[in-house]
Amino acid sequence: MDAVTTARPPMSTPPTLARRLNEWGLPLGVVGSVIGFIIGFAVGTHAIPYSFGEDNSLGSDPGILLGYALSVVGFLAGMGFLNYPIGRLLGARRPSEEDNAYMHGEGGGLRRYFRMTTDHKVIGLQYLVMILAFLFIGGLGAMFIRTELLTPSPTVATAQSYLTLVGLHSTLMIFMASAAIIGPFGNYFVPIMIGTRNMAFPRVEALTFWLLPPAGMILLSTVFLGGFTTGWTGYAPLADQNVLGMDSYLIAFALIGLSIGLSGINMIATILTKRAPGMPLSRMPIFVWSVLVTSFLGALAAPALIAAVLMEVFDRSYQTTFFVPAGGGSPYLWENLFWFFGHPEVYIFVVPAFGLVMEMLPVFTRRPLWGYRVAVGGMVGIGLLSFVVWQHHLFVSGLAPSLRPFYMFSTEMISVPTGIIYLVSLGTLWRARTRFTVPMLFIFGFFFNFLIGGFTGVFLSDVPSDFTLHASYFVQAHFHYTIMGGEVFALMAAIVYYLPKMTGRTMDTKLLRFQFWAVFITFNGTFISLISVGILGMPRRVISYAAYLQPLNISASIFAYGLGLSMALFLGILLWEVVIKPRVAASNPWESLGVEWQVPTPVPTFNFDRIPVAWSLPYDYDSGKPAADFGPAVPALSGA
Amino acid sequence: MSDASPTGLTVMEDVEGGGRTLVFTSRIVMAANTTLQLSLLFAYLYLRANNFGAMWHPSGIGTPPQVLALLSVAFPVVTLLALWAVWSAVSKARESNAINGLLWLAILAAVLTGAVRILLMYQFNWELDSAGTYADIATLWYAVLLGEFILVGLWMLSLVMGHVRGNDRLSPAHARAVLDQWAYITGVSIAVYLLVQYVK
């Protein structure tokens, strides 16, 4: 462990063919995906001339499934993901340091954002842009849904297209929510926070990102294949009976599962084996802890989803009958496997949101994080319990009555560690000199919304009340309170907070304060209305409803339009201040003690000249002591 | 150019997880794979226990051919033994020509594993739409294991090629990681063989 401060070698040799091709990664990826789809479709259609769903002139399930699968392989090949493994299979030398620097994006300018790179900071920004784009598309879907529900009977859509719209909106949002915090902020900041130059497996990190754009596009392509009517849960036997659009859902969900699983494994390896000296687990920033817990959830839960999707793919293409009662299968099998993944998935959304909030709270309260160890214990508790609650989703599905008390108890138990984290977070606010900045406003919004989300969740964990409320708008509103009111509010806080570090730009706080109040009021207006219609008995996923529910639905729709506009305003401000008319930020505008704020902005390509030595947790605002020793000041190696 | 920090800890150029990261990650992958295998086991036992419509294992539906099924677990064991011998030699820093021979033996047995398993699945001869869920889950499970054998086999081949061409000497960590993965899948495949053949 000798100290060596070495400058990376400059790019001296002319670019190789592989590098030249890599510069055109995205267009080549698109070409590769088209070629892959054509080959897969042709082989699948002619080799396995069978389709489980309705007859469809567009093709057969095996053709579509194989076409999609090979289109993803083609896309990745075009992007250059196969170069390294093929080289290794041929026994080629390992990439040189210069090659690695190139792949890291050194000197790559803006183009590196459109190709495969191994720089975790570039990947973090790629995630952020993609997630915002898909959230925008999913949000448009919500606007269409609310427009349709202005009246009790169908007006704009048919029942089939409405269900497809609901399924697209929900699935797209779930996809993006699963990566919304770990994707941009986990990838960007975890290596810096733990004091390493890169992730344990940088190519795998790039892969986890580049699986998502094809997943999103494949999911959206369902509209050309008749859509799917199952919603995001993909319940059998409806999934077996659906037209070809269901195949889009299956392949997209498989890709998301793969991305979540690989990302989790990579994060665990990075956090547990690449921390800087002086940083035992007890000195890790709380956000890193949240990412670690979430990564375990992703790595261990996603394979159950992949197993379920494989069964459904086999049902639809090889005539197996896993979920077909006539053939000996059972739709409950899907429900069990899906929710074994699906419930930990909810905590994949929420735990990192809490991590971010707790990371920001000390900065704006100017006091140490209260109850750090208790908060870590709470996160670990959530992680463990989240694997034994899934059957509460099956309370009304014919679950054996003798099993209900256990799952009711375990589900109610999970509110204990969740409540602990919540209270610990609030403890930091006690007698604090709180700075009411824009991120702090969003944090307060997060607390308020999550409280309602948590309370409404208790009713759904309780068997008698769940029997009344199951599959109603109450569930939908509960879910949106935790995920949108919780995770998305934390996401917006984090964007405003971390934007100066990630881009060197900042956002107009006056407009953002207005935007916060707009989004807070309209969000609550929308979902309190929907809690009400749920209690009054309106089921989810229906295009028609009883006439007496119309006033509340109109209220929800009007607030939803306001919510859509205020979210669009956030995106507009972001676009304006970062891209169109950049507003330059100070290097540490929040006066944070975090390691990530002590490195230069823009962050050097390899983060540090020398690996820092951790001194303490980065929350010692009483003394203002920095959290790490960076050694003598050495000029940055190169700009990011 | 040593430079002690005020903490008394040594400032260093990079945090190189290296071999430790590789072996550790290999075990995390096994943990994730365990969820996948347990999901398939859950499906197997769930469908078997409920026997919906008496369609778990209808009469006339056989089991996989015994000889091929046995071979499909015997060849991975040969690979496993060869890999263990390689790891043992590499970790003791022994340089010998025998390592190359053992590596090629491991590759040969791995190729035979894949070939036999493809042949075995071809020999199932089940009409899956009416063969019951026993046939369904057996087919899927064998397909998943085949995919895993192929993936780890390709990884093994990449290590062997680098080693044989002298571009990348096989490290103990690499040998250990690939050994762990192969041992895990071999163990699962033996368990699946026993389950499918004898717990019908």
Side-chain angles (χ1 to χ4, degrees):
Chain A
M1 285 199 188
D2 286 340
V4 183
T5 306
T6 49
R8 303 276 158 178
M11 295 289 178
S12 53
T13 54
T16 60
L17 177 64
R19 277 196 211 161
R20 283 183 191 155
L21 289 175
N22 183 261
E23 287 293 319
W24 294 92
L26 193 53
L28 284 175
V30 173
V31 172
S33 70
V34 172
I35 294 171
F37 183 83
I38 291 169
I39 293 171
F41 184 77
V43 172
T45 304
H46 294 102
I48 316 164
Y50 164 77
S51 186
F52 192 95
E54 296 169 19
D55 288 338
N56 196 317
S57 57
L58 292 170
S60 67
D61 287 305
I64 296 292
L65 287 164
L66 199 59
Y68 277 143
L70 289 194
S71 78
V72 175
V73 173
F75 178 76
L76 295 176
M79 292 291 298
F81 277 93
L82 299 187
N83 297 355
Y84 178 78
I86 289 174
R88 302 290 299 151
L89 277 173
L90 298 174
R93 292 181 189 281
R94 283 186 181 275
S96 65
E97 197 167 347
E98 192 176 332
D99 285 331
N100 283 334
Y102 168 79
M103 286 311 294
H104 212 74
E106 196 163 65
L110 272 178
R111 291 180 81 169
R112 68 193 152 150
Y113 292 96
F114 299 95
R115 67 172 173 85
M116 170 198 174
T117 70
T118 53
D119 184 353
H120 64 95
K121 299 180 291 296
V122 174
I123 294 168
L125 282 166
Q126 287 172 328
Y127 260 111
L128 183 62
V129 171
M130 184 205 62
I131 280 164
L132 291 175
F134 277 121
L135 285 178
F136 181 74
I137 296 170
L140 284 180
M143 297 300 104
F144 282 121
I145 291 168
R146 287 317 315 169
T147 302
E148 177 54 53
L149 292 178
L150 279 168
T151 55
S153 49
T155 47
V156 183
T158 62
Q160 171 84 15
S161 58
Y162 176 79
L163 284 175
T164 292
L165 190 58
V166 170
L168 263 181
H169 162 75
S170 53
T171 313
L172 202 57
M173 289 303 203
I174 290 288
F175 282 5
M176 294 310 128
S178 63
I181 287 182
I182 290 203
F185 302 107
N187 281 297
Y188 197 106
F189 289 109
V190 163
I192 302 174
M193 285 177 168
I194 65 170
T196 185
R197 295 191 192 284
N198 213 340
M199 298 287 286
F201 299 96
R203 287 180 188 80
V204 174
E205 185 191 20
L207 177 65
T208 62
F209 167 74
W210 284 107
L211 285 173
L212 297 185
M217 299 313 292
I218 286 172
L219 181 70
L220 290 172
S221 72
T222 190
V223 295
F224 303 112
L225 299 170
F228 61 97
T229 55
T230 60
W232 80 278
T233 50
Y235 274 6
L238 195 53
D240 278 285
Q241 297 156 357
N242 255 274
V243 292
L244 294 173
M246 195 72 217
D247 298 329
S248 309
Y249 165 93
L250 291 171
I251 294 290
F253 231 141
L255 293 175
I256 294 294
L258 197 59
S259 174
I260 292 173
L262 289 174
S263 171
I265 290 167
N266 200 10
M267 281 287 180
I268 295 167
T270 305
I271 294 170
L272 293 186
T273 66
K274 285 177 73 79
R275 294 192 309 281
M279 187 179 283
L281 291 177
S282 58
R283 255 184 223 169
M284 272 193 337
I286 195 76
F287 176 58
V288 180
W289 263 110
S290 73
V291 172
L292 182 63
V293 170
T294 308
S295 299
F296 271 106
L297 293 181
L300 298 181
L305 170 75
I306 290 172
V309 168
L310 277 175
M311 288 177 201
E312 186 59 58
V313 165
F314 267 54
D315 269 10
R316 290 181 64 83
S317 57
Y318 293 105
Q319 296 179 281
T320 57
T321 54
F322 287 107
F323 308 122
V324 184
S330 168
Y332 297 130
L333 178 60
W334 171 272
E335 289 192 38
N336 274 293
L337 292 173
F338 180 83
W339 285 114
F340 186 80
F341 156 80
H343 206 84
E345 165 87 339
V346 174
Y347 295 99
I348 290 174
F349 306 154
V350 169
V351 171
F354 264 110
L356 268 181
V357 164
M358 284 192 276
E359 194 66 39
M360 290 184 274
L361 267 174
V363 179
F364 297 117
T365 56
R366 312 312 291 174
R367 358 177 3 195
L369 181 66
W370 191 77
Y372 167 84
R373 285 169 191 268
V374 180
V376 170
M379 287 180 185
V380 174
I382 289 177
L384 293 174
L385 281 172
S386 69
F387 284 108
V388 291
V389 300
W390 84 95
Q391 291 247 353
H392 71 239
H393 292 279
L394 282 73
F395 278 158
V396 298
S397 301
L399 174 69
S402 58
L403 287 174
R404 286 180 191 145
F406 171 78
Y407 286 101
M408 185 171 82
F409 179 71
S410 63
T411 308
E412 287 174 351
M413 274 295 290
I414 210 167
S415 63
V416 175
T418 311
I420 286 174
I421 297 177
Y422 191 91
L423 292 173
V424 163
S425 306
L426 289 181
T428 308
L429 287 165
W430 183 251
R431 293 183 176 173
R433 293 157 288 165
T434 304
R435 296 176 177 177
F436 289 92
T437 57
V438 172
M440 197 64 206
L441 289 178
F442 278 106
I443 289 171
F444 280 122
F446 166 89
F447 281 130
F448 180 85
N449 297 335
F450 196 82
L451 189 66
I452 297 179
F455 275 146
T456 48
V458 173
F459 292 95
L460 298 173
S461 67
D462 197 55
V463 174
S465 48
D466 186 63
F467 265 67
T468 310
L469 297 167
H470 191 89
S472 74
Y473 260 87
F474 185 89
V475 180
Q476 191 255 25
H478 153 73
F479 191 73
H480 280 78
Y481 258 108
T482 51
I483 304 310
M484 188 176 180
E487 188 190 18
V488 174
F489 270 61
L491 174 69
M492 289 192 284
I495 289 174
V496 180
Y497 177 75
Y498 277 122
L499 200 66
K501 178 51 68 182
M502 296 171 90
T503 65
R505 311 278 188 257
T506 189
M507 293 163 77
D508 183 336
T509 52
K510 276 185 190 169
L511 259 178
L512 279 175
R513 280 174 194 277
F514 168 76
Q515 188 270 341
F516 163 75
W517 286 110
V519 78
F520 181 75
I521 292 167
T522 53
F523 170 79
N524 279 285
T526 305
F527 290 102
I528 285 174
S529 303
L530 293 181
I531 284 178
S532 308
V533 294
I535 291 172
L536 291 171
M538 179 166 165
R540 307 161 74 182
R541 298 172 184 165
V542 290
I543 194 169
S544 307
Y545 57 85
Y548 74 95
L549 296 169
Q550 189 176 19
L552 277 170
N553 270 293
I554 290 175
S555 158
S557 294
I558 290 171
F559 276 117
Y561 293 143
L563 180 58
L565 285 175
S566 53
M567 295 299 284
L569 177 62
F570 186 87
L571 291 178
I573 299 170
L574 186 65
L575 200 64
W576 184 263
E577 309 274 24
V578 174
V579 180
I580 298 171
K581 200 173 179 187
R583 181 192 291 260
V584 178
S587 63
N588 185 0
W590 318 110
E591 299 171 317
S592 167
L593 295 178
V595 169
E596 71 275 22
W597 291 99
Q598 312 310 317
V599 293
T601 304
V603 183
T605 306
F606 289 95
N607 299 347
F608 311 101
D609 296 325
R610 297 189 308 180
I611 298 302
V613 174
W615 275 345
S616 64
L617 282 169
Y619 311 123
D620 194 0
Y621 287 93
D622 287 339
S623 71
K625 184 184 159 197
D629 164 29
F630 289 85
V634 178
L637 296 170
S638 57
Chain B
M1 209 161 77
S2 178
D3 191 3
S5 90
T7 57
L9 292 163
T10 309
V11 176
M12 57 186 187
E13 201 264 337
D14 199 358
V15 184
E16 285 296 350
R20 182 171 153 251
T21 302
L22 191 63
V23 174
F24 177 80
T25 308
S26 173
R27 287 168 189 174
I28 296 291
V29 170
M30 280 192 272
N33 197 356
T34 300
T35 313
L36 178 66
Q37 303 303 333
L38 287 177
S39 300
L40 295 171
L41 177 64
F42 174 80
Y44 191 97
L45 298 177
Y46 183 86
L47 294 168
R48 180 176 178 273
N50 286 292
N51 192 18
F52 298 105
M55 282 296 285
W56 161 249
H57 198 169
S59 61
I61 300 298
T63 53
Q66 183 68 273
V67 174
L68 277 177
L70 269 174
L71 282 176
S72 77
V73 292
F75 284 123
V77 173
V78 174
T79 303
L80 182 63
L81 292 174
L83 282 175
W84 180 82
V86 168
W87 170 71
S88 184
V90 171
S91 60
K92 289 171 186 159
R94 284 186 194 146
E95 283 291 334
S96 75
N97 290 334
I99 290 182
N100 280 2
L102 284 167
L103 284 171
W104 283 120
L105 174 65
I107 290 293
L108 178 66
V111 170
L112 286 171
T113 300
V116 167
R117 284 185 165 263
I118 290 170
L119 186 62
L120 174 66
M121 291 186 67
Y122 188 72
Q123 295 288 323
F124 281 172
N125 284 328
W126 289 319
E127 292 291 333
L128 288 178
D129 58 339
S130 57
T133 42
Y134 164 81
D136 294 344
I137 189 73
T139 304
L140 176 61
W141 214 338
Y142 268 92
V144 167
L145 286 172
L146 175 64
E148 293 189 355
F149 273 123
I150 290 173
L151 280 177
V152 180
L154 287 172
W155 182 28
M156 196 192 323
L157 182 62
S158 74
L159 297 178
V160 171
M161 290 303 288
H163 185 81
V164 169
R165 290 186 61 182
N167 285 332
D168 194 16
R169 306 303 294 175
L170 190 62
S171 70
H174 268 110
R176 180 59 198 258
V178 79
L179 171 66
D180 284 351
Q181 289 298 324
W182 192 270
Y184 178 87
I185 302 172
T186 302
V188 172
S189 69
I190 292 170
V192 171
Y193 160 76
L194 293 172
L195 194 70
V196 170
Q197 293 290 344
Y198 301 109
V199 190
K200 292 174 273 184

